[in-house]
Amino acid sequence: PLEPGFFYLQSNQIFFQAMLDLIKKGQPVDKVTLDNQLGEEGKKAIGTMYFTELVLKYNPKFDIKAHELIIIEKWKVRATGSVLRETLDVLKTDNKDYDVTETIRKLQKIEENGVDKEVVVSSGISNLIDKHENGESVKENALTGFNSLDLALGGWKPSKLTYIGGRPGSGKTTLAMNTASHVAHSEGISMFFSLEMKMDELLERMICSYANISSMKLRNPKEFFTQDDWTRYHKATGFISSLDDTLKIYDNGHLTLKDIYTKVRRMRITNKDKKIVVFIDYIGLMDVPGIRPDNKNAQMTEISRGLKLMAMDLNVSVVALTQLNRGLESREDKRPLMSDMRDSGSLEQDADNVIFVYREYVYSKQEADKNKAEINIAKQRGGATGTIDMIADMETYKFLDMPR
């Protein structure tokens, strides 16, 4: 919608604001009401002659929409020029703290029609009624691929930040890859940023999962594969290859928040109506320029806030993996707690959801069921918390719902 700030002349901004004010009051917009709304000061700011000219020139047969688009497009050109000049001035000073992400965000605001909109409550309520009555509030979420998780979380929701925490070997990467491949196969785009494992390793895990083949066999398939294994292997590789457009894996071990934001924004621009889920494995390995490496708390705070802003700005769901403090292993009950999130900083505060993966078998191989996992939803903004029992077949890198 057209806003006063889109006009170049201040007189036009004042005139248009007066029109909006009248509409909000439920009054007609004509010469008499505008004259009364503006008052002497307003008309003086516009210019009495110009005010009269604007009123007399109005014609209800005008194509208002076409004129509106012209004004917005011209504003975009001016606003873009202003941002670029501002950026150039910063670059000339050789400012080492300059962050290109801020320029990108400003340009994105312009592209989306610019300035932060005033929230009209009645309009928001109307949108919510439509969503709830038509089931849209659920349809906009990307399902995780697990019935138990979808029932508990409602799927991966746009603009939400979820942390999946666990100690090494708990299966958090496997859980993330399982749900990422489901999103890519079913209804959206998965962007998987891996700072710990190379793409080949992740793809081999996917092959094991889809083909139901042991990872031990895949280490030397020529020696250990049966003919049936090869059949399932080729079927799985063919299926995974078909996900080219919807499963994107980035295996750079030196990624920054800026790198991730840029790639996700590019994906959003070219897929405006798609469900996009961003997975990051794991945030403790991300580079944070400008903050000393030994100040992990400050780094995590910067990363966490940036991920939440990215989720909201680009309307994507962000699922970030995080390590847990080694200290939990000294406790008798090693189930993770919120306080175990490593260098937590503002992780808990920024997160919409916090999920912990726990497998008793990691600590007690003689007594525990190696295929049992507990998924603890420790935080869910606007939802219930609790623990879900799942099957974790780590030989084939696959989580499964418990049979009912």
Side-chain angles (χ1 to χ4, degrees), residues 23-244:
I23 292 168
K24 283 181 183 177
K25 293 176 181 178
Q27 297 182 16
V29 179
D30 55 37
K31 185 177 185 304
V32 175
T33 55
L34 280 168
D35 188 287
N36 183 62
Q37 179 67 29
L38 286 164
E40 290 304 318
E41 287 298 317
K43 285 192 292 181
K44 186 177 179 181
I46 293 174
T48 306
M49 293 284 290
Y50 189 50
F51 168 75
T52 305
E53 184 182 346
L54 285 173
V55 173
L56 292 175
K57 276 188 173 180
Y58 171 69
N59 186 332
K61 293 181 180 179
F62 284 158
D63 187 344
I64 302 296
K65 193 65 181 174
H67 290 192
E68 179 183 311
L69 291 174
I70 291 170
I71 293 167
I72 292 173
E73 286 306 311
K74 289 188 177 296
W75 170 82
K76 283 184 179 181
V77 172
R78 293 195 305 274
T80 300
S82 176
V83 170
L84 294 179
R85 283 192 295 274
E86 180 185 306
T87 302
L88 188 59
D89 288 342
V90 173
L91 292 175
K92 283 178 180 177
T93 64
D94 195 27
N95 187 342
K96 290 183 173 58
D97 294 329
Y98 168 68
D99 185 356
V100 71
T101 307
E102 187 59 30
T103 298
I104 292 170
R105 288 184 62 197
K106 287 178 180 177
L107 293 174
Q108 184 190 4
K109 286 284 186 186
I110 295 168
E111 182 184 320
E112 293 169 352
N113 254 12
V115 298
D116 292 333
K117 306 281 189 297
E118 177 183 306
V119 178
V120 180
V121 174
S122 59
S123 175
I125 288 293
S126 177
N127 290 338
L128 282 176
I129 291 171
D130 288 342
K131 277 186 177 183
H132 294 154
E133 289 184 345
N134 298 320
E136 296 299 327
S137 56
V138 176
K139 290 178 185 175
E140 66 186 14
N141 303 340
L143 298 181
T144 67
F146 303 105
N147 291 333
S148 53
L149 261 184
D150 288 329
L151 189 63
L153 295 174
W156 303 126
K157 300 175 183 177
S159 81
K160 303 300 181 185
L161 170 61
T162 299
Y163 284 115
I164 298 179
R167 288 294 294 153
S170 61
K172 57 186 182 297
T173 298
T174 297
L175 181 66
M177 276 304 299
N178 285 175
T179 182
S181 57
H182 175 81
V183 171
H185 165 58
S186 60
E187 52 186 346
I189 295 172
S190 287
M191 302 181 72
F192 201 100
F193 294 89
S194 176
L195 293 96
E196 188 175 34
M197 299 171 64
K198 298 299 290 181
M199 183 190 288
D200 284 357
E201 295 176 82
L202 295 172
L203 291 177
E204 283 185 340
R205 288 184 173 211
M206 287 184 68
I207 291 169
C208 289
S209 176
Y210 277 107
N212 202 31
I213 293 173
S214 164
S215 57
M216 297 296 289
K217 278 188 170 185
L218 195 61
R219 289 179 184 179
N220 192 347
K222 198 166 183 181
E223 182 175 345
F224 297 121
F225 269 22
T226 64
Q227 187 55 50
D228 183 53
D229 289 332
W230 279 115
T231 299
R232 285 182 282 118
Y233 170 88
H234 286 297
K235 187 175 180 180
T237 53
F239 173 76
I240 295 167
S241 295
S242 73
L243 302 178
D244 252 359

